[in-house]
């Protein structure tokens, strides 16, 4: 869940953990002091009992964004964070844990804040380190979601607005 303060357009990521009867176990807020904050779009429970959140951190001027990944333990405490640096505007829409424990993230990326987005996919180690990443397809307002097939192949689905 993401909370927004529409008066100043700030946002932080808020995660609620519920038990199997719907009872609230805990609530945690994640974010930075960035003026426009963050928004989460994907979360996955990992085999080690942790969670990985895929998010976007908005630039101070509101014109760009940076990919933002957080791994938290079962109590909601942050284990590590990963921020995508550089001129590319990255949006993480989906997070998946692969059969071997690696992470697969997908979303979109643009060379700069004013450019058209292209589908983006990356494979990371369980610790959040790059194994590979790709920007695919034609430019447009794009997003990607990826899955792993039973034999370990990666299949990506992209939506491209032309």
């Amino acid at each position: 869940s993401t909370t927004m303060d529409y008066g100043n357009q700030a946002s932080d990521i808020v995660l609620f953990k519920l038990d199997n009867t719907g009872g609230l176990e805990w609530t945690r807020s994640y974010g930075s002091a960035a003026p426009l904050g963050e928004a989460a779009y994907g979360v996955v429970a990992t085999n080690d009992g942790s969670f990985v959140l895929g998010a976007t951190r908005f630039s101070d001027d509101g014109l760009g964004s940076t990919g933002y990944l957080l791994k938290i333990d079962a109590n909601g405490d942050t284990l590590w964070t990963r921020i995508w640096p550089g001129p590319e505007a990255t949006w993480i829409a989906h997070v998946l844990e692969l059969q071997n424990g690696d992470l697969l993230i997908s979303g979109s990326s643009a060379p700069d804040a004013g450019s058209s987005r292209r589908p983006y996919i990356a494979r990371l180690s369980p610790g959040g380190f790059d194994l590979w990443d790709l920007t695919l397809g034609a430019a447009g307002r794009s997003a990607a979601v990826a899955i792993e097939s039973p034999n370990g192949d990666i299949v990506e689905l992209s939506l491209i607005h032309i």
Side-chain angles (χ1 to χ4, degrees):
S1 163
T2 298
T3 60
M4 298 287 295
D5 174 351
Y6 291 100
N8 63 13
Q9 298 298 306
S11 64
D12 273 331
I13 298 164
V14 179
L15 190 65
F16 303 91
K17 184 176 180 195
L18 309 175
D19 64 22
N20 62 1
T21 65
L24 180 65
E25 290 188 12
W26 50 256
T27 303
R28 299 284 187 279
S29 179
Y30 308 92
S32 67
L36 296 180
E38 297 82 12
Y41 300 101
V43 62
V44 65
T46 58
N47 288 328
D48 65 2
S50 301
F51 303 94
V52 178
L53 286 69
T56 296
R57 177 174 280 175
F58 302 107
S59 63
D60 294 348
D61 61 11
L63 299 175
S65 62
T66 301
Y68 182 47
L69 203 65
L70 299 92
K71 184 167 185 177
I72 59 172
D73 66 17
N75 297 314
D77 297 321
T78 301
L79 299 172
W80 53 257
T81 61
R82 166 84 193 276
I83 298 170
W84 272 252
E88 291 203 5
T90 305
W91 174 58
I92 300 174
H94 185 73
V95 182
L96 175 70
E97 183 181 39
L98 301 176
Q99 297 169 30
N100 71 350
D102 288 351
L103 299 170
L104 190 70
I105 62 166
S106 54
S108 64
S109 181
D112 56 60
S115 298
S116 293
R117 294 185 172 277
R118 293 175 50 192
Y120 176 77
I121 185 170
R123 187 173 185 154
L124 309 173
S125 71
F129 299 102
D130 286 335
L131 298 175
W132 54 259
D133 69 332
L134 297 168
T135 302
L136 304 165
R141 300 269 311 152
S142 305
V145 176
I147 62 167
E148 180 181 23
S149 69
N151 70 358
D153 290 342
I154 306 299
V155 178
E156 180 191 82
L157 171 67
S158 296
L159 171 64
I160 299 175
H161 298 278
I162 51 174

